[in-house]
Structure formats: C-alpha cells, structure tokens
Amino acid sequence: SSLHTVIQSISIVRNEQKELNILPVHHLDRAFKTATFGMGCFWGAESLYGGTRGVLRTTVGYAGGTKDQPTYRNLGDHTEVLEIDYDPTVISYQQLLHIFWNNHEYGLTTAIKRQYMSIILYHDDEQKQIAELSKVKEGKRRAPEVITTEIAPKRNFYPAEDYHQKYRLQGHRDLSETLNLNSKLLKTSYVATKLNGYLVGVGGVEQFKTEVDTMGLTPSQKEYCYHYIEKNEGQGLYC
C-alpha cells in the first residue's frame, strides 16, 4: 500500500525531520520512580507497559538470581524481567501492579521454570508493603488457586541483549531506523518505549492521540503509526 512506500522511503522522513525541525524525543525530563516485574516472556510485558500512560522508559533484562553477567543463552538462576520508569504523578505503583496481576503469560497460579516465573522485585520498603498487600488481595480473589508470585528485593538487573529490547518496534525496521536508535537508546528511549506498545495495539488510537505530540514524530511517521495502531488495537500480546 502507499503507506508502506511512505515509510520505505526513509528519505521522506529525513526531509521532514530537517525541514520541520522535528526529532525523535528520547528523553522526557520528568521525575520518575522505577518498578521491576517478571511475568513471562519479557517481549509482551515490555509492549504492555510501553503503551501505558505514565510509563516513560522500559528495559528488558535478567534479575533475581546470583549468576554474574547472565545472557539469554546462559541465564543461570535469573528471571526475565522488565524494568519500568514511570511518572508517579500519572500512574501509581498500585496501578502498575493491577496491570501485572492481570496480564501474566502463563498465569499466576502455574508453577513455571525460573526463566518465566512471576516475580516482583521491590525497590524500597513502600513498594514492598504495597506489593505484599496487593498479593494478599489478589490471592483472595483467585482462591482456591494459589498465586506463585515471589516478592523479593531488587538486588541486580542485567539489561538483555539489544535484539530483545523493544522487540515489537524493531520488527518495524524502517521506522526504527528513522528514530535513530543505537544500543543505549534501545534501552532508554522514550519514543521507542511508547511505540513498542502502541504499534501492537496497546493503549489504542484515542489514547495515542493524547500522547503522540510528546514523541517527536513527523507527519509520515505518525501516519505509519496510526495505520498499525488501528489495525492491531485489541489484539493479543504474547509470542
């Protein structure tokens, strides 16, 4: 379709960026807090939170174990997790947990290998208390099934390899190229975080409209994004 030719001609976007003086917004200067969750395959979790209002940055990685410098092929006793930087004036830790409890790939009550298990890694005492209370509540709601989620202090976090970061966005190769992403920005970029969620349909068109002007996108990039958001709204997330 003409839409694909729009983005395929990367040069059109480059010209727009130059003429309109629009550049991808990789960093929003806002105070943030951080949450760390494991809830199955981290690709889906990263999209889920990326398309959530108030989330500023997401990074997938490995945490919770003892092995030094784990890799995807050599994970040791670590778990696939998502680190989320969020604006607490827009979304609370409790709201992040609500999303967590309701979006596990393998279910909350299934014992599963450590790589994909359900885990909350708290960053301070407040998070610990909120998480523990929240788990008790959730447990009552799901009884007689028993929640397997572990709650533990966040002691380490090893970012995953670049090809795992913003996995859904990276599938849109030409668009990704026009966002000027390098290895560091794949882990930290605001616009990459948001589009990695929105492009698979998380959040939906109406919500995207309220946030798109914070992202530094040109008219062609926006048109491309709207096309996929409309197409994918309401689709499932997991691999």
Side-chain angles (χ1 to χ4, degrees):
S1 74
S2 63
L3 215 111
H4 292 283
T5 49
V6 169
I7 202 81
Q8 265 164 2
S9 89
I10 289 170
S11 61
I12 290 182
V13 175
R14 292 286 178 226
N15 285 336
E16 287 178 334
Q17 287 171 332
K18 211 159 54 200
E19 284 167 21
L20 303 172
N21 196 22
I22 294 174
L23 282 175
V25 175
H26 295 304
H27 180 70
L28 275 196
D29 204 17
R30 285 193 204 157
F32 65 90
K33 289 184 169 179
T34 305
T36 307
F37 301 141
M39 49 201 292
C41 169
F42 52 24
W43 294 344
E46 189 173 32
S47 286
L48 178 67
Y49 283 98
T52 296
R53 281 179 67 90
V55 171
L56 304 172
R57 263 181 305 283
T58 56
T59 313
V60 294
Y62 314 117
T66 54
K67 182 182 168 60
D68 197 31
Q69 301 302 323
T71 62
Y72 187 66
R73 299 267 166 254
N74 199 351
L75 207 55
D77 54 355
H78 288 279
T79 300
E80 289 192 15
V81 299
L82 178 67
E83 196 128 288
I84 303 157
D85 288 349
Y86 66 99
D87 177 346
T89 67
V90 179
I91 191 167
S92 67
Y93 188 64
Q94 234 141 351
Q95 288 169 303
L96 293 174
L97 279 171
H98 179 76
I99 295 169
F100 171 83
W101 294 123
N102 290 296
N103 290 279
H104 275 60
E105 182 176 15
Y106 300 107
L108 277 168
T109 53
T110 322
I112 184 122
K113 65 177 180 169
R114 231 183 142 73
Q115 178 176 359
Y116 297 121
M117 79 175 186
S118 175
I119 190 166
I120 297 168
L121 296 170
Y122 57 83
H123 290 242
D124 54 36
D125 281 344
E126 189 191 11
Q127 282 192 359
K128 182 187 182 185
Q129 285 173 342
I130 294 171
E132 284 173 347
L133 270 172
S134 173
K135 183 180 171 180
V136 170
K137 260 197 192 146
E138 198 59 33
K140 286 184 179 146
R141 208 165 72 87
R142 294 182 186 261
E145 289 191 279
V146 178
I147 289 179
T148 59
T149 309
E150 272 187 28
I151 298 175
K154 187 216 154 179
R155 292 207 172 89
N156 49 29
F157 175 78
Y158 300 93
E161 297 78 355
D162 287 353
Y163 68 93
H164 288 300
Q165 305 291 342
K166 313 296 175 294
Y167 187 78
R168 301 292 182 221
L169 172 62
Q170 286 200 68
H172 296 263
R173 275 214 286 267
D174 293 343
L175 177 64
S176 294
E177 190 176 321
T178 64
L179 296 174
N180 310 328
L181 299 169
N182 57 25
S183 182
K184 178 178 183 275
L185 289 174
L186 271 174
K187 300 179 192 77
T188 62
S189 164
Y190 168 73
V191 63
T193 293
K194 302 315 294 180
L195 292 184
N196 186 57
Y198 279 117
L199 285 167
V200 294
V202 177
V205 173
E206 290 310 309
Q207 186 184 299
F208 181 68
K209 277 181 189 162
T210 68
E211 293 204 305
V212 63
D213 290 334
T214 61
M215 299 178 200
L217 300 176
T218 72
S220 297
Q221 288 173 315
K222 284 182 185 175
E223 188 190 346
Y224 179 89
C225 292
Y226 273 117
H227 172 77
Y228 281 97
I229 296 164
E230 279 168 20
K231 192 175 119 180
N232 293 329
E233 194 166 347
Q235 297 291 313
L237 263 187
Y238 284 107
C239 343

